[in-house]
Amino acid sequence: MEGGFAKGRLLIKDIGTLVGFGAEAPGKLAGGEMRGLPVMADAWLALEDGRVLDGGPMSVFPGIADWNGLEVVDASGRCVLPAWVDSHTHLVHAASRESEYVDRIRGLSYQEIAARGGGILNSAKALREMTEDALFEVSLERMERLMRMGTGAIEIKSGYGLDMESELKMLRVARRLGALDRIPVKTTFLGCHAVPEGWSDTMAYARHMVKEVLPAVVEEQLADHVDIFCEEGYFGLEETRLLLEEARLRGLPAKVHVNQFKATGGVALCVEHGAMSVDHLEVLRAEDVAELATGKTMPVALPLCSLFLDLPFTQGRALVDAGCALAIATDFNPGSAPSGNMHLAAALGSMRMGLEPMESLAAATTNGAAALGLEKSVGGLGIGQEASLILTRPLRSVEEALYAFGDPIAERVLLRGQWVN
Ligand code: NIG
Ligand code: FE
């Protein structure tokens, strides 16, 4: 498929359930607002040059004055949903790690596998051996697979390079994926993902990443955000503070891996420094929820990681009840979540995190967009937003779309006005 916004006009009519349409983008939805994505029964939606032009109920459909070059699609009995926004992925990586998966089935833990040189370091070794072009090709294939599943915008992290050259290589690949212009791609520098071989001092490595590699990343304009794996056995509060302070000086928002296995005060530190989001939160204490209730930092849940590693699911209900604008993303990566299936992630929001289907949908669309600062352009179908949507198979409601958890729901996917399947 071509990049950019497709030229042309498309009318989707007799839509059973249209979600996310309005005069404006739905934007970031917090607390009780998360049930408020607009829903319209028996509706039409007009799209032009890759953007939403207009829409409304069929009862007041104005008719078609100009048939010239107009494609008309009948969506009776189906839902039209905004395309997913996946605000946390490690999509650029060299290879899968299924042998570690088998090791885990045989009884080793994620941490034990990492301690034996598996895990992130295993991915780093494979990535360093791969050329930038080869890395681009495997990553593009993954991105196209996600797009066919209905993902209309993504974030991509570095973090499998772990040295200057390889971190820059990863970010260049992510930028090249964005430059194809098929969907918006935001990039994140995650140099502090694990301490590679050759470094005995965690702080010395973090300082190298923050003081030497980050400036090179900034110089080449390769990252939109920074990230660090703030976790026992990886990077502590001091290293996290160092990165947050440097990022603030450079005007780069922070999105931080925190509370995956242990809660050690990382949430409070990130909120204090005005981080854009804190991601994972499988382990969440009452004081962490209270910090996030201030609304300064968005929580991002990664339920596919909980499912795959058998970790607790983020307490979505508690976060939304506390007034947070919760987002859901996949964490797509070869170690803890080898899937980019946003539909499954959203369905788990309801099955395991206590969210109502409308809340899960908001978390996986407009709030995912807000977690990337993209809520004006994607995550909804407001007038002027990108014409990126999922036309489902026959489904009665949003509730059914999230209840049908294991089966694909997308009959067709339109991204920036172009059918991708
Ligand atoms: O988000 N937790 C840290 N990083 C990734 C997993 C990385 C890996 O195992 O390759 C995550 O779960
Ligand atoms: Fe992650």
Side-chain angles (χ1 to χ4, degrees):
M1 76 178 274
E2 300 286 306
F5 292 84
K7 289 279 166 216
R9 298 190 303 139
L10 172 65
L11 170 70
I12 309 181
K13 63 177 198 49
D14 294 308
I15 302 168
T17 309
L18 171 62
V19 181
F21 171 74
E24 286 174 10
K28 178 158 126 181
L29 302 178
E33 295 168 355
M34 283 185 67
R35 266 175 260 151
L37 262 183
V39 178
M40 198 181 281
D42 198 20
W44 59 277
L45 186 69
L47 310 157
E48 189 168 295
D49 295 344
R51 294 189 183 275
V52 177
L53 182 69
D54 206 354
M58 283 308 291
S59 57
V60 292
F61 180 55
I64 300 168
D66 177 9
W67 283 90
N68 193 21
L70 180 71
E71 180 187 354
V72 181
V73 172
D74 185 312
S76 30
R78 289 159 169 78
C79 299
V80 168
L81 311 173
W84 311 113
V85 178
D86 195 346
S87 68
H88 181 137
T89 86
H90 306 252
L91 175 130
V92 172
H93 54 265
S96 54
R97 302 207 309 258
E98 61 277 5
S99 69
E100 294 178 10
Y101 173 53
V102 176
D103 286 342
R104 260 197 316 109
I105 294 168
R106 291 177 180 156
L108 290 182
S109 70
Y110 181 80
Q111 288 91 335
E112 284 166 339
I113 291 165
R116 299 201 315 183
I120 296 166
L121 297 185
N122 184 354
S123 282
K125 186 167 176 295
L127 187 130
R128 287 174 186 178
E129 288 164 1
M130 208 160 180
T131 66
E132 186 182 311
D133 285 344
L135 190 60
F136 174 75
E137 288 307 324
V138 293
S139 304
L140 175 58
E141 204 180 310
R142 283 182 206 119
M143 187 175 88
E144 288 179 333
R145 183 149 44 85
L146 268 47
M147 288 163 57
R148 287 193 294 273
M149 291 197 286
T151 296
I154 50 170
E155 181 259 16
I156 301 176
K157 298 174 192 299
S158 69
Y160 293 126
L162 309 181
D163 62 25
M164 170 85 84
E165 187 190 327
S166 306
E167 283 294 305
L168 294 177
K169 177 168 79 179
M170 281 189 83
L171 289 169
R172 286 186 195 120
V173 166
R175 278 288 191 238
R176 280 171 67 184
L177 293 171
L180 294 173
D181 236 10
R182 294 185 187 171
I183 56 173
V185 175
K186 290 278 194 170
T187 64
T188 304
F189 172 57
L190 175 57
C192 294
H193 195 193
V195 180
E197 274 168 39
W199 293 85
S200 52
D201 182 344
T202 303
M203 185 45 119
Y205 173 76
R207 219 177 271 122
H208 168 62
M209 280 293 145
V210 171
K211 298 292 184 189
E212 286 160 64
V213 182
L214 179 60
V217 169
V218 170
E219 169 76 28
E220 243 188 271
Q221 298 187 359
L222 289 175
D224 302 306
H225 328 99
V226 299
D227 190 351
I228 181 169
F229 189 12
C230 177
E231 185 64 51
E232 199 176 276
Y234 291 84
F235 297 90
L237 297 180
E238 284 317 300
E239 290 86 8
T240 304
R241 184 189 306 277
L242 176 77
L243 176 75
L244 290 171
E245 283 174 357
E246 189 70 27
R248 176 177 275 183
L249 287 176
R250 294 181 172 277
L252 275 178
K255 301 173 72 64
V256 180
H257 281 74
V258 71
N259 286 35
Q260 183 176 4
F261 300 108
K262 290 256 164 66
T264 58
V267 170
L269 181 68
C270 289
V271 173
E272 179 198 325
H273 284 78
M276 191 176 196
S277 71
V278 281
D279 302 35
H280 273 289
L281 310 172
E282 286 86 339
V283 183
L284 200 59
R285 305 169 303 181
E287 62 247 57
D288 298 324
V289 176
E291 289 288 348
L292 292 168
T294 61
K296 292 182 197 149
T297 296
M298 280 185 77
V300 178
L302 309 169
L304 298 182
C305 175
S306 298
L307 182 69
F308 192 70
L309 292 189
D310 197 15
L311 300 175
F313 283 82
T314 302
Q315 297 169 50
R317 184 75 267 146
L319 288 165
V320 174
D321 286 347
C324 294
L326 175 67
I328 288 177
T330 64
D331 197 19
F332 185 25
N333 77 77
S336 69
S339 164
N341 188 334
M342 279 297 289
H343 174 230
L344 180 58
L348 286 167
S350 293
M351 273 191 287
R352 298 299 177 88
M353 289 163 47
L355 302 178
E356 293 184 19
M358 283 308 296
E359 294 172 322
S360 293
L361 189 66
T365 57
T366 196
N367 278 359
L372 296 176
L374 289 174
E375 68 274 25
K376 290 223 160 32
S377 51
V378 294
L381 294 169
I383 292 174
Q385 287 196 279
E386 298 196 3
S388 295
L389 56 85
I390 296 167
L391 172 60
T392 71
R393 60 183 163 86
L395 289 172
R396 278 190 301 270
S397 60
V398 170
E399 284 70 24
E400 192 186 356
L402 290 204
Y403 146 97
F405 79 94
D407 295 345
I409 54 167
E411 194 167 85
R412 299 183 78 184
V413 172
L414 184 84
L415 298 179
R416 291 184 158 174
Q418 230 179 118
W419 295 110
V420 299
N421 54 358

